Amino acid sequence: MHSKNIVAIGGGGFGRSLGALEIEKYIISLINKKRPKICFIPTASGDSNLYKLNFYRAFSKLDCITSHIDFFSRTENLEEKVLTQDIIYVGGGNTKSMLAVWKEWKLCEILRNAYEKGIVMSGVSAGAICWFEKGITDSYAEKLAIIDCLGIVKGIACPHFDEEKEREPYVNDVINREIIKSCICIEGNCALHVKNNIDYSSIDFGNGRKCFRLFKENNTLKKEII
């Protein structure tokens, strides 16, 4: 049976600076293969050319076979492209717009199939929360919001937890008001690795960054480090 992996990055990585490429090396290590095939999906940034360039720089350095998928110029055969990869990497940006485009192109089902086949799913920010049932997004200019996502991983996730000052008070508030029961909070320079939907581990590639579950017990907010 294939092992199934999702690496959800809270912030950082090649999109900010090429640096030591620690999290990128970790993602590649999950594929026991020389020159793995990795495909970048930068939909959330409107297929940003600079973002694509940084992706190619980073993963070419790590000896991968690199490619990407565009939705804002001519779009290739998605099933053929996605199902022949070893790793999918989804970039950050506007989650709501990204998911709307994916839905229209039926990419959501293709990504679920790819995950079931053992293709590693990874991404940062919008590309981290998209795998969960729901995510905390800043897609709207005036406020954070809870958005429905792909539902491959159970629960609700919030990226950039320690990087953007409005994140923590918002999550605390929606848990206190019992709008949600709990939230998986992923700090910047940290990733949550979900293996086979049951094993959760926190991958720190910054300075002691972490992932934790925030929930309410006996009217008190509790933090459970993953």
Side-chain angles (χ1 to χ4, degrees), residues 30-156:
L30 301 175
I31 294 289
N32 195 8
K33 189 175 184 179
K34 276 187 175 167
R35 304 210 69 216
K37 290 176 78 175
I38 181 165
C39 179
F40 183 42
I41 309 182
T43 323
S45 65
D47 294 346
S48 158
N49 284 330
L50 179 60
Y51 206 176
K52 285 186 278 199
L53 184 63
N54 284 343
F55 163 78
Y56 282 106
R57 281 181 178 151
F59 285 98
S60 299
K61 261 189 183 181
L62 301 176
D63 202 25
C64 293
I65 298 166
T66 49
S67 65
H68 72 276
I69 291 171
D70 277 327
F71 283 101
F72 296 97
S73 50
R74 288 191 176 180
T75 301
E76 59 201 295
N77 182 317
L78 295 173
E79 202 157 14
E80 216 169 82
K81 178 66 167 258
V82 169
L83 297 179
T84 55
Q85 302 300 315
D86 297 304
I87 302 163
I88 297 294
Y89 189 108
V90 177
N94 189 311
T95 314
K96 188 175 173 64
S97 298
M98 173 184 85
L99 290 171
V101 170
W102 286 5
K103 219 164 274 178
E104 187 61 34
W105 281 89
K106 299 187 169 47
L107 181 66
C108 304
E109 291 80 10
I110 297 168
L111 289 173
R112 279 192 200 97
N113 290 345
Y115 170 73
E116 292 297 335
K117 284 177 185 295
I119 296 168
V120 173
M121 299 288 136
S122 63
V124 64
S125 191
I129 64 173
C130 67
W131 313 110
F132 290 81
E133 289 173 312
K134 293 177 188 289
I136 310 284
T137 181
D138 61 358
S139 296
Y140 304 86
E142 68 278 8
K143 65 185 192 314
L144 290 172
I146 300 163
I147 190 172
D148 286 334
C149 296
L150 297 180
I152 294 173
V153 183
K154 280 195 164 60
I156 298 168

Side-chain angles (χ1 to χ4, degrees), residues 167-182:
R167 297 268 174 177
E168 190 166 356
Y170 177 82
V171 174
N172 289 350
D173 179 55
V174 289
I175 292 175
N176 274 325
R177 287 161 57 210
E178 295 177 8
I179 293 166
I180 63 173
K181 284 196 169 80
S182 69

Side-chain angles (χ1 to χ4, degrees), residues 162-163 187-191 202-211:
D162 62 327
E163 294 185 315
E187 295 185 338
N189 291 313
C190 184
S202 192
I203 313 303
D204 168 33
F205 59 101
N207 300 311
R209 303 294 91 197
K210 57 194 177 298
C211 303

Side-chain angles (χ1 to χ4, degrees), residues 161 168 210 212-215 221-225:
F161 195 73
E168 190 166 356
K210 57 194 177 298
F212 51 86
R213 199 167 69 86
L214 208 55
F215 60 98
L221 279 177
K222 295 272 178 72
K223 192 187 269 193
E224 178 184 87
I225 305 292

